[in-house]
Amino acid sequence: MTPEEIAKRYAAMLYSIDSIKEGMDTGDKDEETLDFVKRNVNHLEVMVAKDWWTTEDMTAVNKAIADGNAYLA
């Protein structure tokens, strides 16, 4: 992975963080909202496990995963 590719993947993760927050902020627990949050949490879980990250800060990513999973519980 080039630094540019890594930066692009990281930016996509930040978008998923925003999407999880957006879904949770609705307060809705309908099937559509839960699926939306779940898909974004799953994306982050897959991406954070990649071994090509360098110095990217995963604090917000890990928090979004935890918050999203708590919302889905």
Side-chain angles (χ1 to χ4, degrees):
M1 296 284 290
T2 67
E4 293 80 17
E5 291 170 326
I6 291 171
K8 185 176 179 180
R9 302 298 192 281
Y10 189 72
M13 290 174 63
L14 297 178
Y15 180 78
S16 283
I17 290 169
D18 290 341
S19 295
I20 290 167
K21 288 178 187 175
E22 178 184 318
M24 293 187 315
D25 284 349
T26 67
D28 293 337
K29 295 274 189 156
D30 58 68
E31 185 177 336
E32 182 179 341
T33 302
L34 292 175
D35 183 59
F36 178 74
V37 172
K38 183 178 176 71
R39 283 183 283 119
N40 282 282
V41 168
N42 288 345
H43 171 248
L44 292 181
E45 289 174 331
V46 168
M47 293 305 291
V48 79
K50 300 296 183 183
D51 64 359
W52 32 256
W53 297 113
T54 58
T55 61
E56 293 77 19
D57 183 359
M58 297 297 175
T59 304
V61 175
N62 290 323
K63 182 176 180 345
I65 290 169
D67 291 349
N69 280 327
Y71 189 78
L72 294 168

